[in-house]
Amino acid sequence: MNRYFLYLVLINMLINVIMFVPKILIEYRFDGTVMGILIAIPISLSLTFLFTKAMSKFPERGFPEIFDSSQYRLLKVICFSIMQFLWFSAGLITLLEFIDILNRFINPEFPKLMILAIYLAAICFVIQLPTERVMYLLEIVLFINTPLIGFIIFKAYTNENISWDAILEVGTHLFEVPNLKVIGTATYVFSGFTNLIIFNRLIKKRLSNWNFLTIFLLGWVSLFTTFFIPIGFNGADQTQEFLYPWITTSDSIRMVYSPIERVIFLFLIFYMSIVLISVSVHWHVAFELMKGTFKKKSSKKQNGAIIALYICVSIAGVIFTNTVLLNTFTSYWMVIRFVVEILFVASFCLWARRGTLSKK
């Protein structure tokens, strides 16, 4: 079992709580979310299997190395540019939403730009590190935080205030037909596998079946927890009223004998580092794709220009967006990402197969 691959998928599963994934899924709880989740899991596992199988033909190489000698320069620039936008926007959405959460639930008087400056200082340093060091940081963050978040989720499942009747009520809408937004949002939980376009540099052997079995089990638990636990705490009807259902749910849990009784503060403390490393992973992928778009080795000035662009866009995002606009943008972004991800995996698998057959 390759732990690096599992880390990339696991960080996406954890960060979906901060994204508007629970909000979107709960919005359609009576209109196809349950069926959408059941459809999303096999789709995601199929995409994961096909993509990792294609990438296994290029061990210890990312997309910049694989397409370094490509004859179709214009096509490469276009494809890399689209991927850069998707990965950068994924990190930006996460960052802007978590800043909004901290501002709402911790200190509304603290300037958002100050929070952004603190995060950007760390993120801009991390994304310039070698891929191997970024992975080591990801491993450390997950090693520290995953057991603690797992304990909070355990407390949620065993809480006496959770209403299993509300969960079963939503479950009765199993046969409602889902829309594309629900399926696209549910598949985002598994989308960490796409980070292999850069992090495949660290994968030396073909992934075993245990990796896919583990992802299947973790995906089930993640989607069930993300969607049903807020419903169990807040009710099938009332839960839609909350902008961040899981943050509100964590505030419904108490640890009587803990130094910090309200779980919401522990929850947000743990997620501070998870958001940091999640955004860093996404932006590291975008940064490496930007560097690999052209043949010439990037200089320090070019790297500095890329970082400056990231900072300017982030500042503009904090200044000119609000929560409602961000929620709307995320909903459409999920659909676009889902469609592009299918086309991306299918085209790369066909290209990899064609290239392998031509060599034979």
Side-chain angles (χ1 to χ4, degrees):
M1 184 181 295
N2 192 293
R3 70 182 194 276
Y4 292 160
F5 174 69
L6 291 180
Y7 293 157
L8 295 173
V9 179
L10 182 59
I11 190 65
N12 238 56
M13 291 182 177
L14 291 175
I15 207 63
N16 80 85
V17 173
I18 300 300
M19 300 283 280
F20 281 113
V21 172
K23 173 67 175 176
I24 298 171
L25 294 180
I26 289 171
E27 181 181 351
Y28 296 95
R29 64 200 179 284
F30 299 133
D31 300 304
T33 292
V34 180
M35 179 60 72
I37 290 174
L38 296 178
I39 294 174
I41 291 175
I43 291 176
S44 298
L45 288 176
S46 300
L47 291 174
T48 303
F49 177 78
L50 292 173
F51 185 70
T52 53
K53 184 178 180 181
M55 288 298 293
S56 66
K57 299 174 182 178
F58 309 96
E60 299 184 70
R61 284 188 287 173
F63 266 34
E65 292 80 25
I66 294 172
F67 294 99
D68 183 51
S69 58
S70 175
Q71 297 177 351
Y72 305 99
R73 303 296 303 173
L74 180 59
L75 182 61
K76 174 186 173 182
V77 171
I78 294 173
C79 292
F80 274 32
S81 298
I82 294 173
M83 289 188 288
Q84 289 164 35
F85 169 75
L86 287 175
W87 262 265
F88 174 75
S89 58
L92 183 62
I93 291 171
T94 304
L95 183 59
L96 294 181
E97 290 179 3
F98 192 67
I99 288 173
D100 185 60
I101 289 172
L102 292 179
N103 186 257
R104 285 174 180 269
F105 293 94
I106 300 298
N107 188 354
E109 297 180 358
F110 198 74
K112 287 185 178 181
L113 287 176
M114 186 64 70
I115 303 175
L116 177 66
I118 295 171
Y119 265 96
L120 286 179
I123 292 170
C124 291
F125 170 74
V126 173
I127 65 175
Q128 298 181 74
L129 296 175
T131 302
E132 189 175 16
R133 292 190 181 182
V134 176
M135 178 59 75
Y136 290 158
L137 287 174
L138 173 60
E139 184 173 27
I140 292 170
V141 170
L142 290 178
F143 181 79
I144 295 173
N145 290 283
T146 302
L148 301 173
I149 292 175
F151 177 71
I152 291 176
I153 293 173
F154 170 77
K155 292 288 290 184
Y157 275 109
T158 57
N159 194 289
E160 59 182 9
N161 295 321
I162 190 172
S163 173
W164 292 99
D165 290 335
I167 294 174
L168 291 173
E169 179 186 351
V170 174
T172 59
H173 296 267
L174 170 64
F175 298 104
E176 298 292 335
V177 179
N179 56 34
L180 189 61
K181 185 186 295 185
V182 170
I183 298 174
T185 302
T187 57
Y188 179 76
V189 174
F190 296 86
S191 287
F193 75 89
T194 55
N195 290 315
L196 284 178
I197 63 175
I198 293 298
F199 286 90
N200 194 61
R201 295 167 176 172
L202 309 177
I203 308 296
K204 299 179 180 179
K205 298 179 181 179
R206 177 173 293 187
L207 300 176
S208 67
N209 292 331
W210 286 106
N211 287 98
F212 302 108
L213 178 61
T214 304
I215 290 172
F216 172 74
L217 296 176
L218 289 176
W220 264 110
V221 173
S222 178
L223 281 171
F224 186 92
T225 303
T226 299
F227 176 59
F228 283 111
I229 292 300
I231 293 173
F233 273 91
N234 304 310
D237 297 318
Q238 188 67 23
T239 190
Q240 185 182 1
E241 303 300 323
F242 298 106
L243 190 60
Y244 297 104
W246 243 104
I247 307 300
T248 307
T249 299
S250 67
D251 200 25
S252 304
I253 306 172
R254 295 289 186 272
M255 292 186 180
V256 181
Y257 301 107
S258 172
I260 303 177
E261 183 180 358
R262 295 179 64 184
V263 169
I264 184 173
F265 295 116
L266 293 172
F267 192 77
L268 291 178
I269 288 172
F270 298 155
Y271 263 90
M272 284 180 184
S273 57
I274 290 178
V275 168
L276 173 65
I277 194 62
S278 175
V279 177
S280 298
V281 167
H282 282 118
W283 284 12
H284 176 74
V285 173
F287 185 72
E288 290 296 317
L289 286 173
M290 181 78 77
K291 290 166 56 180
T293 301
F294 305 101
K295 281 189 174 182
K296 293 182 180 180
K297 188 176 180 181
S298 59
S299 63
K300 290 184 178 180
K301 288 184 178 181
Q302 290 174 327
N303 293 345
I306 298 171
I307 297 297
L309 176 63
Y310 289 179
I311 293 174
C312 291
V313 175
S314 301
I315 293 173
V318 170
I319 295 174
F320 296 108
T321 61
N322 54 47
T323 309
V324 176
L325 181 61
L326 197 58
N327 186 12
T328 304
F329 176 78
T330 304
S331 299
Y332 289 108
W333 182 88
M334 287 290 182
V335 176
I336 294 171
R337 177 211 56 82
F338 176 56
V339 174
V340 172
E341 189 173 291
I342 292 176
L343 295 175
F344 160 70
V345 172
S347 58
F348 179 71
C349 289
L350 291 173
W351 179 86
R353 178 178 174 81
R354 182 180 176 184
T356 305
L357 290 175
S358 63
K359 288 180 181 179
K360 291 180 180 180

